Amino acid sequence: QKEVEQDPGPLSVPEGAIVSLNCTYSNSAFQYFMWYRQYSRKGPELLMYTYSSGNKEDGRFTAQVDKSSKYISLFIRDSQPSDSATYLCAMRENTGNQFYFGTGTSLTVIP
Amino acid sequence: IAGITQAPTSQILAAGRRMTLRCTQDMRHNAMYWYRQDLGLGLRLIHYSNTAGTTGKGEVPDGYSVSRANTDDFPLTLASAVPSQTSVYFCASRRDRSSYNEQFFGPGTRLTVL
């Protein structure tokens, strides 16, 4: 079993829809949780990060962490065609060098 | 230079050949990383360096070596390439390994080993 599981999709939604992206994990020591966006043929770029449990909102994006269920989510409100990309979740223990990434979910927002 | 640069952008390589992927950052970050990204497997850590002069092994280090002679450069070498090393390689850096700080990624190198 991989440390981090993420549904690869693909996910296709109409413009303006609410998108929900999710990851589950097995390591209870993970403390830092991140979402990256990766456009085609580009490197990942950080979108959101949270420490431990809770919610964090940034514009149209909301990240949620439920450590009791080992489950994290990213919500995108009023989705735009420019949101079309692959979204990667990542997480890390409090100490240590390794970031553990999900396989990524491919999202297409149709105008 | 702004951020992280990688070279080459893409490469086709014959099996058995030696290849060095270059990575340079201008942010004076202490920690640097090499990942490979494969369909269905996501990003996997190959090697890392917490500071100049030190390196460590990640999840998939076999067949790869790195060096960190200075803060800015972190080359990845494939001593004798094999087809299973066909992948997209990303270099990343962050200020240091303590607490939280953002990991920045380069644009990637697409490597095909035939």
Side-chain angles (χ1 to χ4, degrees):
Chain A
Q1 183 186 6
K2 286 178 63 69
E3 296 264 11
V4 180
E5 299 282 354
Q6 183 175 10
D7 187 338
L11 191 60
S12 184
V13 301
E15 183 175 353
I18 297 174
V19 176
S20 172
L21 305 168
N22 311 293
C23 288
T24 59
Y25 63 94
S26 56
N27 186 349
S28 58
F30 287 147
Q31 293 283 355
Y32 293 95
F33 303 91
M34 290 139 278
W35 286 96
Y36 286 83
R37 179 174 60 197
Q38 185 176 21
Y39 291 115
S40 180
R41 305 183 80 87
K42 302 288 187 182
E45 55 180 347
L46 183 68
L47 198 58
M48 298 280 288
Y49 82 89
T50 52
Y51 173 72
S52 196
S53 285
N55 294 358
K56 185 172 184 177
E57 187 173 322
D58 184 2
R60 297 184 295 110
F61 299 89
T62 299
Q64 288 186 350
V65 175
D66 181 349
K67 290 191 70 181
S68 63
S69 301
K70 298 189 179 68
Y71 188 89
I72 70 170
S73 300
L74 177 71
F75 297 96
I76 307 174
R77 292 183 299 281
D78 187 25
S79 56
Q80 302 295 308
S82 59
D83 295 329
S84 298
T86 295
Y87 290 80
L88 306 165
C89 63
M91 42 202 80
R92 186 174 71 85
E93 298 181 12
N94 198 35
T95 59
N97 295 291
Q98 191 158 347
F99 288 69
Y100 294 86
F101 286 83
T103 53
T105 299
S106 174
L107 171 68
T108 300
V109 180
I110 303 168
Chain B
I1 298 177
I4 299 177
T5 57
Q6 292 185 238
T9 302
S10 65
Q11 182 76 44
I12 299 174
L13 189 67
R17 296 296 297 269
R18 180 184 179 90
M19 175 75 190
T20 295
L21 308 185
R22 299 185 298 279
C23 173
T24 299
Q25 52 100 1
D26 65 354
M27 298 174 283
R28 307 302 294 172
H29 284 174
N30 285 314
M32 296 187 74
Y33 308 82
W34 273 107
Y35 292 90
R36 59 178 290 173
Q37 187 174 36
D38 302 287
L39 195 63
L41 296 175
L43 281 161
R44 293 181 292 168
L45 183 66
I46 304 170
H47 285 286
Y48 65 89
S49 170
N50 289 330
T51 189
T54 69
T55 62
K57 294 181 180 180
E59 182 183 356
V60 289
D62 293 344
Y64 306 95
S65 64
V66 291
S67 61
R68 187 88 184 276
N70 57 61
T71 297
D72 299 342
D73 301 299
F74 191 42
L76 175 74
T77 297
L78 289 67
S80 180
V82 295
S84 63
Q85 292 177 312
T86 294
S87 187
V88 182
Y89 291 85
F90 288 100
C91 180
S93 72
R94 62 186 183 123
R95 190 180 69 228
D96 55 55
R97 65 181 292 262
S98 64
S99 187
Y100 176 78
N101 40 80
E102 182 178 352
Q103 194 174 62
F104 293 87
F105 283 84
T109 293
R110 290 181 171 272
L111 181 66
T112 302
V113 182
L114 300 177

